[in-house]
Amino acid sequence: LLHSPIRRCGQTAARIGAGYQRDGVQPDLLGDDHDLGVPYLLDLDGLVAQTRRYDLQGFVRAWFDGRLPAGVVQAAHDAALDLAGVAARELERTPAGGLSLLVSHDWNVLLLRESLLGLRHEDVGWLDYLDGVVMTRRGDTLRLHWRDINKSLPVPLTTSSGR
């Protein structure tokens, strides 16, 4: 279990870990990872100003459509590729037959759903608790699954900045 440094994500990961322990499984609790937080945040003050300008869903739509001022957040598609790259990295480290659970927050799942799977929250709904994108890796291919939608991406993933 690896989670975002955002407090509620750590709490969720701890509860999942406790559930596994009750079932006699000892999970590896790896703690938080900055890359599962909001590494795409470039200017906190600018972000606060933009979130005051829009409601939550309006802010997300403005970000995903590229309508926020430059320098506030990384472009949505690049941020989604970076997040998928974190998952690909962790899946590469997962022992054969193992399971990695990456606990993150709504913005990250929305990024993956829209930017990589083409699913807008206006069309498929906001997230439910514990909703997420399932990812599997086989060699140099990362496969993303959300409900009945699937897509494969080549690994390594690169953004427009070449990362």
Side-chain angles (χ1 to χ4, degrees):
L1 282 163
L2 187 64
H3 60 83
S4 163
I6 294 175
R7 185 174 180 219
R8 70 179 185 269
C9 297
Q11 293 167 333
T12 299
R15 298 290 301 265
I16 291 170
Y20 273 107
Q21 289 173 341
R22 278 192 301 277
D23 288 342
V25 176
Q26 183 57 47
D28 292 327
L29 303 174
L30 302 177
D32 64 34
D33 184 324
H34 168 78
D35 291 336
L36 291 174
V38 288
Y40 42 76
L41 175 59
L42 306 175
D43 174 9
L44 181 58
D45 292 335
L47 176 77
V48 169
Q50 292 303 310
T51 56
R52 288 184 178 148
R53 180 176 174 199
Y54 298 99
D55 65 13
L56 176 61
Q57 292 187 20
F59 167 79
V60 168
R61 175 55 39 223
W63 175 21
F64 290 3
D65 288 348
R67 292 186 283 119
L68 296 181
V72 173
V73 290
Q74 182 183 18
H77 188 72
D78 288 353
L81 286 173
D82 287 346
L83 286 167
V86 171
R89 175 193 75 207
E90 291 306 317
L91 287 168
E92 184 69 19
R93 295 177 185 173
T94 303
L99 172 70
S100 288
L101 295 175
L102 309 180
V103 180
S104 194
H105 50 87
D106 54 357
W107 286 6
N108 289 353
V109 177
L110 292 166
L111 272 169
L112 295 171
R113 275 194 345 192
E114 180 159 337
S115 294
L116 302 182
L117 294 172
L119 301 168
R120 296 168 28 106
H121 65 269
E122 293 91 346
D123 300 329
V124 298
W126 202 257
L127 303 176
D128 293 324
Y129 182 66
L130 295 180
D131 196 351
V133 175
V134 174
M135 291 182 242
T136 57
R137 181 171 178 172
R138 181 162 299 175
D140 61 355
T141 301
L142 182 68
R143 188 135 174 96
L144 290 81
H145 313 267
W146 186 78
R147 298 189 182 170
D148 61 344
I149 306 298
N150 303 289
K151 183 174 182 180
S152 293
L153 300 173
V155 176
L157 306 164
T158 58
T159 66
S160 61
S161 63
R163 297 190 316 174

